[in-house]
Amino acid sequence: MTGAGVDNEPLLQRNIIITDLNGEGDRSRKYIEGMVNYKGEKLLNMINNHQFGGWKSASRLIVLGVADSFVFYGISSNLISYLTKHFGQSTATAALNVNVWVGVVFMLPLLISFVADSYIGRFRFVLACSFSEILGLGFLSISALYGSINSTSCVGNTMESCAYPSSLQISFFFLSLYLVSFGSAGNQSCAPAFGADQFDGKNLSECKSKNSYFTWWQIGRAVGMAFSNTILNYIQDNLGWGLGFVIPCISLIVALIVFLFGIKTYRYSVIDEENEDYFFGIIEVLVAAVKNWRIPSPFNTAQEEASEGFIAMPNDVESSSNHVTIKKVEDAKSLLRLMPVWTICLVYTVVFSQTMTLFTTQSSTMDRTLGREFRIPAASMNIFGGLSFILFGVIYDRLFVPLARAITGKPTGITTLQRIGSGIFISAAGMVAAAIVERKRLQTAIDYGLVDLPNETVPMSVWWLVPQNLLMGLATLLTSTGLQEFFYDQVPNGLKSMSLSLSLSMFGIGSFLSGFLISVIQQVTSGDGKYGWFSNNLNCAHLDYFYWLLAGLSTLEMIAFLCYSYA
């Protein structure tokens, strides 16, 4: 799209502040800054103008988010089962592969989002990523039909006697899997940013709607996760993975059609020459800062900038020779200010990654019968995290926020930092609950003489896992949603997708760290013939020790976050 650039407005730190209490926004603005319609025309700053943007447009992005979540969690929550049963991988290897794939999904946006912000545009990028995701799912369907263990070749039900897929089949599977990861990465970073673009942050009424949008975006993703953990996981375990990949592919196609029908209603972010310089401008600032870190600044603001923790620029800060302008410096600062939160919250993302791996592994060993014949899929217990998110999400948005708003006077009810900190506390409680349940499961295995019988079901109901899933769902509602809103609000328009990608990258790093921790701990604890914490025989493993470790790290994380918040 073409049009006028976005004004270099001051960044609003920590909370959105709206000075117009009448809810009419800034009347001095003739146009909504940085936004145009599908014709490339500027949008008038008119009250109750619902022709472009608003909920009617943003809701289409939520539909796309539901479909993407259905795909992502439909794969990630049960992928460890697919890799162990159909590729014959060990628990530790399969968990590592799942963590790497999930990590790529969350890390990739950091590398590609600047293309959406600066060159292609968020709408076009969401479109391209959706096509990539659909293509990958189609290939996965083919791979599932022709690229897994041939069960007819197995003798005596032992994995050693099975005919494994060829290296070509395995390569095709992972190529397809990472096509999906590219599409999901783009949708998870650019789709919520494009949806938030449909609301004017300088209008009080639309500011409230934008705050609700991030909550409902996550609720929509929780709905997609709930469907994947019930319907899709059951289909994968009982009717085949081929069908288990085709169904999410069809759902994503339907969501894409819904998204495309809104072309004439969207507000589009302007891309101009300034936007194209955002990413590389930040790189220039960082390079210039490194080169000139010894040079004292003659500006009066030098001490102030130093107190903020940033390196002052030399006299020629705006010279044509280095192209480093005050605006680029401010853009770089806006991202650097996010790094303390990014760093502290890494522990939370490590905790979050267990819901897609070890929680499923725990479930697979327990009594999952429902009625006389029905057997709950192991990954389906994650539905309680989704249900928790949906239930508490509605309560939070419709009851808690209005009540808190009346008390605090803030449009968002409580600050985003308070929201994030509350979720960190609850995630620590979730790990404590998981450790207690796992200790109970291990003791039950000992009591019934099942320690050396890993394929036997431990006579302990899978419903014991409900509390930890409920707590993690509530933690996700508070922390994950709070992080998205916080990172979106703290940067200028041209860095919105990149900032959301930075928040997603935490989950990628967390997934990588989780895989790294599992590998290192297993290697250390399995010496001298010991089983280790993550033994394939879970009745001899110690997942409870790992959960306690994460609970302790989460406690330290909470202390660090409180120190940062009140600094």
Side-chain angles (χ1 to χ4, degrees), residues 161-183:
S161 64
C162 298
Y164 289 92
S166 67
S167 57
L168 178 61
Q169 291 171 322
I170 295 175
S171 299
F172 181 74
F173 172 82
F174 280 102
L175 172 64
S176 307
L177 194 64
Y178 281 94
L179 270 177
V180 175
S181 73
F182 173 81

Side-chain angles (χ1 to χ4, degrees), residues 212-231:
S212 293
Y213 166 76
F214 280 108
T215 298
W216 284 98
W217 164 266
Q218 292 287 4
I219 289 175
R221 293 192 64 82
V223 170
M225 180 178 67
F227 276 109
S228 69
N229 289 335
T230 51
I231 300 172

Side-chain angles (χ1 to χ4, degrees), residues 362-381:
Q362 269 184 295
S363 176
S364 66
T365 67
M366 302 171 74
D367 182 8
R368 293 179 280 118
T369 57
L370 185 63
R372 292 184 176 180
E373 298 182 356
F374 185 77
R375 188 174 174 84
I376 302 171
S380 291
M381 292 306 296

Side-chain angles (χ1 to χ4, degrees), residues 373-435:
E373 298 182 356
F374 185 77
R375 188 174 174 84
I376 302 171
S380 291
M381 292 306 296
N382 291 327
I383 187 179
F384 289 98
L387 292 177
S388 171
F389 193 108
I390 296 168
L391 174 62
F392 289 112
V394 174
I395 294 174
Y396 180 87
D397 187 64
R398 296 303 179 187
L399 295 178
F400 177 78
V401 171
L403 179 62
R405 186 184 295 143
I407 297 174
T408 65
K410 300 179 184 297
T412 57
I414 60 175
T415 68
T416 51
L417 291 180
Q418 289 171 335
R419 183 174 186 172
I420 293 168
S422 300
I424 292 173
F425 172 79
I426 294 172
S427 69
M431 286 298 98
V432 171

Side-chain angles (χ1 to χ4, degrees), residues 175-493:
L175 172 64
S176 307
L177 194 64
Y178 281 94
L179 270 177
V180 175
S181 73
F182 173 81
S184 185
N187 278 330
Q188 290 192 48
S189 59
C190 292
F194 186 62
D197 288 343
Q198 309 310 308
F199 304 101
D200 182 6
K202 292 187 176 181
N203 178 285
L204 180 59
S205 176
E206 292 198 17
C207 177
K208 294 177 181 178
S209 295
K210 186 179 71 173
N211 175 256
S212 293
Y213 166 76
F214 280 108
T215 298
W216 284 98
W217 164 266
Q218 292 287 4
I219 289 175
R221 293 192 64 82
V223 170
M225 180 178 67
F227 276 109
S228 69
N229 289 335
T230 51
I231 300 172
L232 194 57
N233 289 160
Y234 178 81
I235 290 173
Q236 290 166 347
D237 287 350
N238 296 277
L239 301 180
W241 278 81
L243 187 60
F245 288 131
V246 168
I247 291 176
C249 182
I250 294 173
S251 70
L252 193 59
I253 292 173
V254 172
L256 180 59
I257 294 172
V258 172
F259 172 69
L260 290 174
F261 272 125
I263 287 178
K264 294 185 177 182
T265 71
Y266 296 133
R267 296 177 185 177
Y268 297 89
S269 180
V270 172
I271 296 180
D272 57 19
E273 292 182 359
E274 282 192 349
N275 280 19
E276 293 179 0
D277 287 338
Y278 267 122
F279 178 75
F280 295 106
I282 291 172
I283 300 299
E284 288 177 344
V285 170
L286 297 178
V287 171
V290 171
K291 288 181 178 179
N292 301 304
W293 71 279
R294 292 180 179 274
I295 301 177
S297 173
F299 298 131
N300 294 331
T301 59
Q303 292 182 350
E304 179 182 352
E305 288 183 348
S307 66
E308 292 180 358
F310 297 99
I311 300 172
M313 299 276 70
N315 281 331
D316 60 347
V317 68
E318 291 194 78
S319 70
S320 58
S321 60
N322 59 21
H323 304 289
V324 177
T325 65
I326 292 294
K327 183 179 183 302
K328 290 179 181 179
V329 173
E330 290 301 318
D331 292 340
K333 284 183 179 181
S334 70
L335 287 180
L336 291 174
R337 288 190 184 103
L338 299 173
M339 294 313 296
V341 175
W342 188 94
T343 304
I344 293 170
C345 291
L346 280 178
V347 175
Y348 163 76
T349 62
V350 174
V351 171
F352 173 82
S353 67
Q354 308 316 313
T355 63
M356 292 177 285
T357 52
L358 298 185
F359 280 21
T360 301
T361 304
Q362 269 184 295
S363 176
S364 66
T365 67
M366 302 171 74
D367 182 8
R368 293 179 280 118
T369 57
L370 185 63
R372 292 184 176 180
E373 298 182 356
F374 185 77
R375 188 174 174 84
I376 302 171
S380 291
M381 292 306 296
N382 291 327
I383 187 179
F384 289 98
L387 292 177
S388 171
F389 193 108
I390 296 168
L391 174 62
F392 289 112
V394 174
I395 294 174
Y396 180 87
D397 187 64
R398 296 303 179 187
L399 295 178
F400 177 78
V401 171
L403 179 62
R405 186 184 295 143
I407 297 174
T408 65
K410 300 179 184 297
T412 57
I414 60 175
T415 68
T416 51
L417 291 180
Q418 289 171 335
R419 183 174 186 172
I420 293 168
S422 300
I424 292 173
F425 172 79
I426 294 172
S427 69
M431 286 298 98
V432 171
I436 293 173
V437 170
E438 178 60 12
R439 181 65 256 176
K440 170 68 175 175
R441 190 194 68 81
L442 290 174
Q443 188 60 49
T444 302
I446 294 173
D447 293 342
Y448 283 85
L450 301 176
V451 173
D452 296 321
L453 300 173
N455 295 325
E456 295 295 323
T457 299
V458 176
M460 177 178 172
S461 176
V462 76
W463 302 116
W464 280 82
L465 299 180
V466 171
Q468 65 197 59
N469 281 284
L470 290 177
L471 288 170
M472 290 307 301
L474 179 56
T476 302
L477 167 69
L478 296 172
T479 300
S480 297
T481 308
L483 286 170
Q484 274 198 325
E485 184 178 354
F486 182 78
F487 276 62
Y488 181 89
D489 285 335
Q490 300 303 305
V491 297
N493 184 61

